[in-house]
Amino acid sequence: MEAVEINAGAWYLRALRDDDRLSDVPALTLLGIDDPAGYVRDTDAAWADESSLTWAICVPTTGELAALIGVDRDGTFRGLSRDGFGDALSAAADPAARCATALLDVTPAPLTVGVPNRT
C-alpha cells in the first residue's frame, strides 16, 4: 500500500523521506539509527508489502522529523523521539494506532520506546 499521511493536531505524520527535496537522514542519525538511508528504504518496503507502517512525526511548518512511530503486522507498537519532542510522540500515538488498526486489521500493543520496523 501507499503510505498514509495523518494530521495529529499540532503534528503531522508522513512516510520517511530521503530525496532531493527532503531528507530525514540527519534526524534519524540523531535518533541513533545505523544506516539511516537504508532505514528509509526498509520502511518504504514495509509499507509496500504491508508488514509494518512507520511514520515520521513532523513539525507541520517545516516537515522536520521530531519523532518516529510505527506498528508491525503483529501489533508491535514502537516510537522514539528526539530530545525535546516527547510531546510529539505522545500526540501521535492514538492517531497512529487507529490508522494501523484500520489498515493492517491489527490491535496495536501498548506503545513502547524503540525504533519502529526493527526486530
Side-chain angles (χ1 to χ4, degrees):
M1 85 178 70
E2 294 283 326
V4 173
E5 297 178 348
I6 304 170
N7 181 338
W11 303 97
Y12 178 67
L13 283 65
R14 61 163 171 76
L16 295 172
R17 293 191 45 189
D18 182 24
D19 56 44
D20 60 340
R21 297 182 69 200
L22 180 64
S23 178
D24 293 319
V25 167
L28 293 171
T29 301
L30 290 173
L31 287 170
I33 295 176
D34 295 330
D35 187 16
Y39 182 70
V40 172
R41 288 189 302 274
D42 291 348
T43 60
D44 287 346
W47 271 99
D49 70 14
E50 301 180 14
S51 61
S52 181
L53 312 178
T54 302
W55 290 274
I57 305 168
C58 302
V59 177
T61 55
T62 64
E64 175 188 10
L65 184 150
L68 294 173
I69 197 163
V71 179
D72 295 343
R73 170 136 318 269
D74 67 0
T76 302
F77 191 26
R78 293 188 190 113
L80 192 61
S81 64
R82 291 176 44 203
D83 288 341
F85 288 106
D87 57 330
L89 184 57
S90 295
D94 187 53
R98 284 193 319 262
C99 190
T101 298
L103 295 175
L104 295 179
D105 192 29
V106 58
T107 301
L111 180 66
T112 59
V113 174
V115 178
N117 192 32
R118 287 289 189 250
T119 55

